[in-house]
Amino acid sequence: FPNPTICFRLFCYLNHEKQWYQRRVRGDDESETVYALLTYQENNTKIGVLKTGGDYSQVVEVLGDESTEEPGSGMRAYIYLRVTTGDEMSKRSKFVLLTWCGQAVPVLKKAKMSLEKTEVKKIIEAFSVEVQTSDLEDMSLEKILETVRKSGGANYGTGKA
């Protein structure tokens, strides 16, 4: 089990950040921000916002750049993403929780991450789809949009989106 003190600090820090990311990513303040990239910080004692922005390709660049972490350690991250789906008759925002665990992450850290994700989900409560992967191909926006569309049920458009 993870250290309770660390989990408590993760929860407190994320809870403090909650209103900020909700306004930005969810578009409550009409922001151009579509993602918040959260990573382990301060010697793995808290999860914090590393980056936000309006261009999701920046997230894939960060995840693909293993040099952002200690050599050989891999990267662990959570991404809260807003995407627009629908057809020409109805456009709507959907929210996705992405969990990234790099292939070089040690087994013990992977196991702790699965437990700590529970704390992250207490803060990031509203999402339509959850994706967990260590493959950059699964992190492509096209693949994520396909997953969101499939989870949405019927599509009544004329096919001319």
Side-chain angles (χ1 to χ4, degrees):
F1 292 99
N3 180 323
T5 304
I6 291 174
C7 280
F8 180 74
R9 287 184 66 191
L10 291 174
F11 180 78
C12 288
Y13 180 77
L14 285 172
N15 202 31
H16 176 72
E17 299 275 311
K18 181 178 182 177
Q19 290 181 337
W20 178 85
Y21 87 76
Q22 281 184 333
R23 284 194 313 274
R24 298 293 298 262
V25 177
R26 293 187 60 80
D28 296 347
D29 66 356
E30 299 188 23
S31 166
E32 294 295 318
T33 302
V34 297
Y35 73 85
L37 172 61
L38 296 89
T39 59
Y40 289 78
Q41 300 172 0
E42 293 184 17
N43 206 20
N44 294 320
T45 60
K46 75 175 187 178
I47 297 172
V49 177
L50 175 69
K51 188 172 190 162
T52 62
D55 182 3
Y56 175 73
S57 67
Q58 295 171 339
V59 171
V60 178
E61 286 175 19
V62 170
L63 297 179
D65 182 8
E66 291 292 319
S67 68
T68 59
E69 290 281 306
E70 295 173 15
S73 70
M75 183 178 215
R76 299 175 295 153
Y78 304 94
I79 300 97
Y80 190 55
L81 174 67
R82 174 174 34 130
V83 295
T84 302
T85 64
D87 52 40
E88 72 282 356
M89 298 174 74
S90 172
K91 298 279 184 199
R92 58 204 162 273
S93 291
K94 295 287 186 176
F95 301 92
V96 182
L97 175 62
L98 303 159
T99 303
W100 171 262
C101 187
Q103 294 180 355
V105 172
V107 174
L108 187 57
K109 285 186 178 183
K110 286 180 183 180
K112 285 182 179 180
M113 189 177 183
S114 67
L115 296 170
E116 293 162 349
K117 182 167 67 168
T118 303
E119 300 302 317
V120 172
K121 289 168 100 175
K122 288 178 182 176
I123 305 302
I124 300 176
E125 300 165 322
F127 53 91
S128 302
V129 175
E130 180 179 357
V131 176
Q132 181 170 338
T133 187
S134 61
D135 185 350
L136 273 178
E137 288 182 20
D138 293 338
M139 296 297 285
S140 74
L141 188 56
E142 295 78 25
K143 199 126 184 178
I144 293 167
L145 284 169
E146 179 184 334
T147 303
V148 170
R149 274 190 223 103
K150 286 180 181 179
S151 74
N155 195 353
Y156 296 109
T158 61
K160 299 178 184 177

